[in-house]
Amino acid sequence: MDEEALAARLKALNPTIEAIRKASGCPGASIGIARAGKVIHVEGFGYRDVERKLAPDEHTIYLLASLSKTFTASVIGKLVERGKLEWTTPVSQILPQAQHWDPVVREEANMVDYLSHRTGLAPKNNTWYEDFAQASLRREDAIPIANQLEKIAPLRSEYIYNNWGYALADEVITALSEEGSWGAALKNEIFAPLGMHRTITTRESELDKRAEAYAALTDGISHHLPRPFPEDGQIMAGAVGVQSCVSDLLLYYIALMKAAAEEEEEHPTHLPQARIMFEAHIPLSTNPSEGSYGLAWARTVLPASTGTIGLNPAYVPEMPIIGRGLEKPELCLWHQGSNNAFLHAVFLLPRTTTAIVVLSNGHANNDAADWIAQLILETVLDVPEPNDYLALAKLSARNSNALWDDMRVERKKMDMPPRALERYVGRYCNRPRNFVLEIELRGDGLVMCFQGKWQQGYSLRHYEGDVFEWLLTRDESVRRGRFPVTWKEFYLLRFRGEDEIKELVWVNDEVWGGGGF
């Protein structure tokens, strides 16, 4: 299909994309497509600012969430090229304070292990942000917590998505780069040379057209939220701290694909080590068809399903197969980004230097950006048997809301807990003693808060025995700006002890399934 015909087909998708956006409860989205290294189509849908009815475009700036990871990996690649470290250098040799309790992780885990999510360590995602996606931990807490992460699987044996590896990469860049900070290194090494003038790592900026943050209520109405916290100098910046726009991202993705191709031909490149970022380092699962993970990029050979880094797999019986009927297999690199208010998706097709970017400014009732990006991908590939993404959007939105109803904790038929309420009162800390869950008795009930922030307190209700719950409805979670967790165990607090309470168990990590304060 020639460029003009493809551009016309992409333009014809507008009504379907708009229908997906509305069915999902997504306030606004910007899309961009490049082919053969040239931008061929950009479009904006809905609103970047719902209250002022301002439309988004390719220059609208969004918080990228996990789409930030590729920039962190690119700068590590530049440091490798300059001999500041090797990909095989154990992180503990670069950061003396990075001393994981497990000797194998401590002595062997390197940047490839951390950037490809193959350390085998527990994700522990639900402790580093709080209501309205503000930081609940300090930057200096990252290494102590990473040192204590529980071991789920042996090193290099299993893919377990883990943001803490990118927090450590931030520390490595800060320690080894001339700039002395992650944000300054990204700006000097990537953003400025590529002309990415609307890409930043600071929360405040004078740049215009910045998307406001929203999350969808049960009825699909967009609820306005403060922008999430990540920026240079804060915890998890290396994982989620970049803000950018479609036009800038297309510049980078084109350059990255060209750099990987140039490395194969041994030509000099502005983004050295790009090829290793695209290589497979760990299977995504035991099913080979699901693909593998490189450094900040998932890899899938189409026809196959994608999207497992995002939210939609929880909302549909199975993810659709992309590319049914293709005559030849097609290598696809992809990633997603999500926080409490932004959802994004990107696909790269290295064979044709094609990039597809979808950025959205609302945590919708499904992962709308993912469905839109898959729709565009099948159009670009001219798939003979395309999927019905509008139907998938409607189904996933219904199922997403139903999960909250299904999760409602069954009230046990016990009038009172086995102990006087005041015996549960106290301060309960994690192992590094930098995250605190406080319990107080107020009136005739217990309340709790994280990190001493009582303005964000939660009422506790007796569940059974020495177990209390703090379950929220979807709309309560949205209005607090929380990332939606639809796993019942997350909302249960289990107190343990014989004569007196000695321990509080909060299972805050579904992958690990353990807890303890």
Side-chain angles (χ1 to χ4, degrees):
M1 190 186 316
D2 64 34
E3 180 182 310
E4 185 176 345
L6 177 56
R9 289 194 64 184
L10 292 169
K11 186 73 174 178
L13 293 179
N14 283 6
T16 304
I17 293 174
E18 181 66 5
I20 291 172
R21 182 190 71 80
K22 290 181 177 179
S24 305
C26 172
S30 298
I31 68 169
I33 299 92
R35 191 184 193 192
K38 177 182 176 183
V39 178
I40 61 171
H41 183 69
V42 294
E43 198 77 60
F45 300 87
Y47 300 107
R48 64 176 170 86
D49 186 322
V50 172
E51 289 74 21
R52 294 195 291 165
K53 302 217 179 311
L54 300 177
D57 60 21
E58 70 272 24
H59 304 301
T60 298
I61 296 173
Y62 299 78
L63 281 88
L64 295 187
S66 285
L67 296 192
S68 305
K69 289 180 169 65
T70 182
F71 298 108
T72 297
S74 286
V75 172
I76 292 290
K78 286 208 163 191
L79 293 174
V80 169
E81 192 74 9
R82 291 171 187 158
K84 297 289 187 178
L85 78 159
E86 296 180 2
W87 287 114
T88 56
T89 304
V91 171
S92 59
Q93 292 184 13
I94 305 167
L95 305 173
Q97 63 275 52
Q99 300 292 318
H100 194 270
W101 62 268
D102 179 76
V104 176
V105 175
R106 180 174 64 248
E107 295 167 13
E108 298 184 22
N110 55 44
M111 273 287 90
V112 172
D113 299 321
Y114 282 108
L115 297 180
S116 64
H117 307 294
R118 66 181 193 186
T119 60
L121 301 179
K124 298 302 263 309
N125 254 338
N126 292 304
T127 55
W128 53 269
Y129 60 85
E130 57 191 33
D131 287 17
F132 305 108
Q134 302 307 303
S136 58
L137 294 165
R138 303 163 300 170
R139 178 194 173 96
E140 53 264 36
D141 294 325
I143 293 178
I145 288 182
N147 286 342
Q148 295 293 333
L149 292 176
E150 292 80 4
K151 189 174 179 179
I152 298 175
L155 180 68
R156 300 173 192 144
S157 69
E158 187 176 338
Y159 165 84
I160 302 173
Y161 197 90
N162 194 316
N163 283 303
W164 294 99
Y166 285 80
L168 293 181
D170 177 344
E171 297 290 347
V172 169
I173 291 170
T174 299
L176 298 182
S177 68
E178 294 180 0
E179 294 83 359
S181 88
W182 168 82
L186 264 62
K187 180 178 180 180
N188 292 344
E189 300 286 358
I190 301 176
F191 305 158
L194 291 179
M196 299 173 65
H197 302 306
R198 295 184 61 77
T199 303
I200 55 176
T201 59
T202 55
R203 186 169 182 175
E204 301 301 326
S205 172
E206 295 181 356
L207 291 172
D208 63 352
K209 294 188 177 181
R210 298 179 71 192
E212 292 297 313
Y214 300 91
L217 297 166
T218 304
D219 59 8
I221 298 299
S222 297
H223 181 73
H224 199 175
L225 295 168
R227 286 192 184 93
F229 76 88
E231 66 175 343
D232 190 23
Q234 289 190 305
I235 193 166
M236 287 297 172
V240 297
V242 177
Q243 300 181 48
S244 190
C245 61
V246 164
S247 58
D248 275 14
L249 290 177
L250 288 173
L251 290 173
Y252 168 74
Y253 296 144
I254 291 167
L256 190 63
M257 286 186 283
K258 288 182 175 179
E262 288 167 359
E263 277 189 72
E264 293 181 2
E265 300 172 6
E266 298 184 353
H267 291 167
T269 172
H270 173 67
L271 293 171
Q273 305 290 320
R275 188 176 178 185
I276 194 172
M277 292 174 61
F278 287 173
E279 291 175 353
H281 296 290
I282 191 75
L284 287 175
S285 76
T286 56
N287 182 354
S289 68
E290 292 190 11
S292 56
Y293 199 89
L295 306 184
W297 289 97
R299 297 167 38 98
T300 300
V301 177
L302 305 176
S305 61
T306 66
T308 52
I309 297 172
L311 306 175
N312 282 330
Y315 305 151
V316 293
E318 60 182 3
M319 291 295 284
I321 300 298
I322 301 172
R324 288 176 300 176
L326 286 176
E327 292 184 0
K328 296 181 180 180
E330 184 81 36
L331 173 63
C332 174
L333 298 162
W334 57 276
H335 215 280
Q336 293 161 275
S338 62
N339 58 30
N340 71 318
F342 292 85
L343 295 173
H344 315 304
V346 57
F347 288 105
L348 305 182
L349 302 174
R351 182 179 64 85
T352 55
T353 320
T354 296
I356 298 165
V357 185
V358 180
L359 306 181
S360 72
N361 64 327
H363 197 115
N365 286 327
N366 57 31
D367 196 337
D370 180 31
W371 295 138
I372 294 170
Q374 291 192 36
L375 169 69
I376 295 170
L377 176 60
E378 290 205 324
T379 302
V380 168
L381 291 172
D382 196 17
V383 169
E385 303 172 40
N387 293 291
D388 186 342
Y389 289 103
L390 177 55
L392 285 164
K394 292 177 178 178
L395 173 64
S396 53
R398 288 195 303 269
N399 290 348
S400 168
N401 283 328
L403 285 176
W404 291 87
D405 297 329
D406 295 343
M407 189 179 57
R408 296 306 301 171
V409 175
E410 177 189 354
R411 299 293 189 266
K412 302 300 180 179
K413 295 180 180 179
M414 295 181 64
D415 293 332
M416 292 292 292
R419 312 171 196 248
L421 291 180
E422 58 265 21
R423 298 183 66 182
Y424 299 98
V425 170
R427 288 168 50 88
Y428 301 87
C429 300
N430 64 348
R431 194 172 293 129
R433 304 192 71 80
N434 54 19
F435 189 87
V436 179
L437 198 158
E438 292 188 54
I439 310 289
E440 286 190 1
L441 178 61
R442 296 189 178 181
D444 57 358
L446 294 175
V447 292
M448 69 118 176
C449 77
F450 301 109
Q451 298 292 68
K453 297 184 178 180
W454 283 106
Q455 70 273 25
Q456 299 176 11
Y458 295 84
S459 296
L460 298 182
R461 296 168 292 272
H462 182 235
Y463 180 62
E464 64 176 352
D466 285 324
V467 184
F468 290 78
E469 55 97 352
W470 57 288
L471 184 64
L472 305 174
T473 66
R474 180 189 181 94
D475 288 355
E476 288 170 340
S477 179
V478 166
R479 291 191 174 98
R480 283 178 171 267
R482 295 194 65 85
F483 192 91
V485 176
T486 52
W487 177 50
K488 185 174 72 173
E489 187 68 27
F490 177 77
Y491 298 97
L492 299 181
L493 303 181
R494 302 178 183 276
F495 296 86
R496 292 179 178 173
E498 295 296 332
D499 295 331
E500 59 181 278
I501 300 296
K502 298 289 189 181
E503 181 185 22
L504 168 61
V505 175
W506 174 40
V507 184
N508 56 70
D509 187 336
E510 186 174 7
V511 178
W512 172 46
F517 275 78

